[in-house]
Amino acid sequence: MADSSPATRNNSTSITDLDMDALVHCATYLNLQNLSNMAMSCKYLQRAAYSDYIWQSLFRQQWSPIVPSSFPHIPTAREAYLARRSDVLQFKFVDPIVVEFATEVKPHENLHLDKDNIIFSQGSSVHIVNIGNFLDGSDPYVTLGDHTSRITSMSNSHNPTNCRLIPFEETCLYSSKMQKNDNLLVTSSFDHSIRLWWKGRCQRCFRGHNGPVSTLSDKLLGDCPSNILASGGLDGTVRLWSLDSSGKRGQQALKATLYGHEKPVVLMSVAGHKTYLLVSISKNSKVMVWDTSTSSSVRSSCCVGKSTVPGAPKALKCHESLIYVAAGSSVVAIDIRTMRQVFKVNHQEELHSFQMLPEKSLICTGLAQRWPLYCRFRSWVVSLRFVLYCC
């Protein structure tokens, strides 16, 4: 094959003929591995790959609350990124940022973290504090105030659970890639209603309980995408709601009412091994398991298991085929298939809170004397302190 002519060779263009600004802009679309490969190609491409603009962009994507300028002892953005990444892989943490927000003189009854948002309730309102907006100097507060009565928490319990965050893509409401990383906020209230929130607005309102709604299921029933939410009320009933009901007020949303509890329902959890099984516990420590896939017209026949635990219920979690109930001064594990007790962990004092890490086979309990949320009272306001650990 004949060699290319000198004119052809002179007119050929390679990537190194691009100006530095264009190269840097293109390189911002590369991941860390591809950037490393680019830097090893030649000195000219290495210069582009080491640009501060690229590494500042990577830094913001990975650790948005922190900027590379927070590390004055490190000369370049690339070195700041690599140093930060090394610290994270070695589980090193920077000093926490202590932030105090002045709020109304009302108890803080729920507290959740959702990405850059701190969500808590006071009275009939839900407050959302955006950490990113606070660090940028803009207004961090959003208040959701459509409820007309107090956001419910369990009677005689210091472990409120009636504010739920459900991944949008797990629901039938998911319709756009823009919603993929969003959570749907669900609240219940003494005004007998359940509300679904997204983007600071109420998207659905469900009504049907003959009294305050006392608890919500910890996740949706059924396989993803699911559309059934369960609630329990002071009226002693368990109710199933369809999230895909039309209309803001949720007409035709109530799919079933389950009877069997004689006292208010205070806790609920969806079984781990069969997501159509719902576990509920009432104020008198009666545990009931419901098969929500049953189409029987007699809704009490949906109950497929019963048990009782000693002491006032504080928390309820399901993992695989086990039910974990924290009540009184003990944690009891019940096999959902046989409704028999598997083991029991006793404490010398009454339990205050309970949490579990299934993947680590760990159960965490808090005693009544310990209180993890620090509030400082100042005349007519409450200062709520958050300690933010950046990693």
Side-chain angles (χ1 to χ4, degrees):
M1 185 175 187
D3 293 338
S4 300
S5 66
T8 304
R9 289 198 301 269
N10 291 338
N11 291 332
S12 63
T13 302
S14 70
I15 191 172
T16 55
D17 292 322
L18 293 174
D19 64 75
M20 186 58 66
D21 289 342
L23 272 175
V24 168
H25 178 74
C26 294
T28 58
Y29 294 94
L30 300 179
N31 59 29
L32 193 60
Q33 182 62 54
N34 290 334
L35 269 177
S36 299
N37 293 337
M38 177 180 173
M40 291 187 292
S41 300
C42 67
K43 289 184 178 180
Y44 187 71
L45 293 182
Q46 183 185 75
R47 248 180 73 204
Y50 282 10
S51 168
D52 279 353
Y53 180 78
I54 296 172
W55 294 92
Q56 286 170 356
S57 176
L58 285 172
F59 209 109
R60 284 192 295 269
Q61 292 173 26
Q62 192 72 27
W63 305 290
S64 56
I66 311 171
V67 293
S69 58
S70 304
F71 304 87
H73 59 287
I74 300 178
T76 68
R78 175 178 173 272
E79 291 175 357
Y81 178 93
L82 295 177
R84 183 70 183 151
R85 185 171 183 272
S86 176
D87 287 346
V88 170
L89 293 176
Q90 296 176 51
F91 295 96
K92 294 180 180 179
F93 296 89
V94 297
D95 291 337
I97 304 169
V98 178
V99 181
E100 293 190 359
F101 299 104
T103 62
E104 298 177 8
V105 57
K106 294 179 181 178
H108 306 86
E109 295 177 321
N110 296 276
L111 180 64
H112 288 267
L113 296 178
D114 178 28
K115 299 171 189 165
D116 284 350
N117 293 319
I118 301 169
I119 305 172
F120 61 95
S121 67
Q122 284 185 295
S124 61
S125 299
V126 177
H127 302 283
I128 302 175
V129 181
N130 184 272
I131 301 170
N133 288 348
F134 174 81
L135 295 174
D136 292 340
S138 53
D139 185 7
Y141 284 99
V142 174
T143 298
L144 312 178
D146 288 15
H147 281 296
T148 59
S149 190
R150 182 168 66 88
I151 306 294
T152 52
S153 60
M154 294 180 295
S155 302
N156 301 319
S157 172
H158 300 287
N159 186 30
T161 59
N162 298 334
C163 179
R164 296 282 187 248
L165 292 168
I166 300 173
F168 222 110
E169 62 180 336
E170 291 184 8
T171 74
C172 60
L173 301 176
Y174 177 72
S175 59
S176 167
K177 289 183 179 180
M178 294 177 61
Q179 301 168 331
K180 182 176 178 61
N181 297 318
D182 289 350
N183 285 325
L184 195 66
L185 176 65
V186 187
T187 59
S188 59
S189 169
F190 263 89
D191 63 8
H192 305 192
S193 75
I194 299 166
R195 292 182 182 270
L196 278 62
W197 310 84
W198 183 58
K199 296 293 186 183
R201 297 182 61 185
C202 179
Q203 305 294 327
R204 297 282 194 280
C205 179
F206 301 151
R207 295 183 183 275
H209 280 281
N210 299 322
V213 185
S214 52
T215 189
L216 299 168
S217 55
D218 54 355
K219 54 186 177 182
L220 300 180
L221 290 156
D223 297 327
C224 294
S226 180
N227 67 344
I228 301 298
L229 174 74
S231 65
L234 297 189
D235 56 7
T237 65
V238 172
R239 299 182 188 247
L240 306 181
W241 309 87
S242 173
L243 300 189
D244 63 353
S245 60
S246 60
K248 187 174 179 180
R249 295 185 179 275
Q251 292 91 341
Q252 310 300 322
L254 182 60
K255 294 302 180 185
T257 301
L258 312 181
Y259 300 94
H261 285 291
E262 297 88 11
K263 297 293 181 180
V265 181
V266 293
L267 291 166
M268 294 179 135
S269 185
V270 177
H273 70 309
K274 294 180 179 179
T275 56
Y276 58 84
L277 293 179
L278 175 69
V279 182
S280 62
I281 186 169
S282 56
K283 195 174 180 181
N284 61 352
S285 302
K286 182 179 180 180
V287 180
M288 299 188 72
V289 180
W290 309 89
D291 182 351
T292 61
S293 66
T294 303
S295 58
S296 169
S297 59
V298 183
R299 303 310 300 184
S300 59
S301 66
C302 293
C303 180
V304 293
K306 296 181 181 180
S307 185
T308 57
V309 293
K314 295 294 176 65
L316 173 68
K317 297 285 182 181
C318 288
H319 175 57
E320 295 179 349
S321 60
L322 293 182
I323 308 168
Y324 296 85
V325 184
S329 60
S330 63
V331 176
V332 178
I334 300 171
D335 191 324
I336 202 169
R337 298 164 296 186
T338 63
M339 297 307 293
R340 292 183 179 179
Q341 180 176 310
V342 178
F343 66 83
K344 182 178 181 181
V345 179
N346 291 311
H347 291 69
Q348 294 181 348
E349 303 173 50
E350 185 174 352
L351 293 178
H352 165 76
S353 59
F354 167 85
Q355 193 55 265
M356 62 182 297
L357 300 172
E359 67 277 6
K360 300 294 184 182
S361 300
L362 293 178
I363 293 175
C364 307
T365 57
L367 302 180
Q369 290 85 348
R370 276 68 173 178
W371 185 246
L373 180 62
Y374 296 94
C375 298
R376 183 180 299 164
F377 294 88
R378 295 177 181 168
S379 59
W380 298 104
V381 299
V382 176
S383 177
L384 182 61
R385 170 175 290 191
F386 297 104
V387 181
L388 310 178
Y389 287 90
C390 302
C391 63

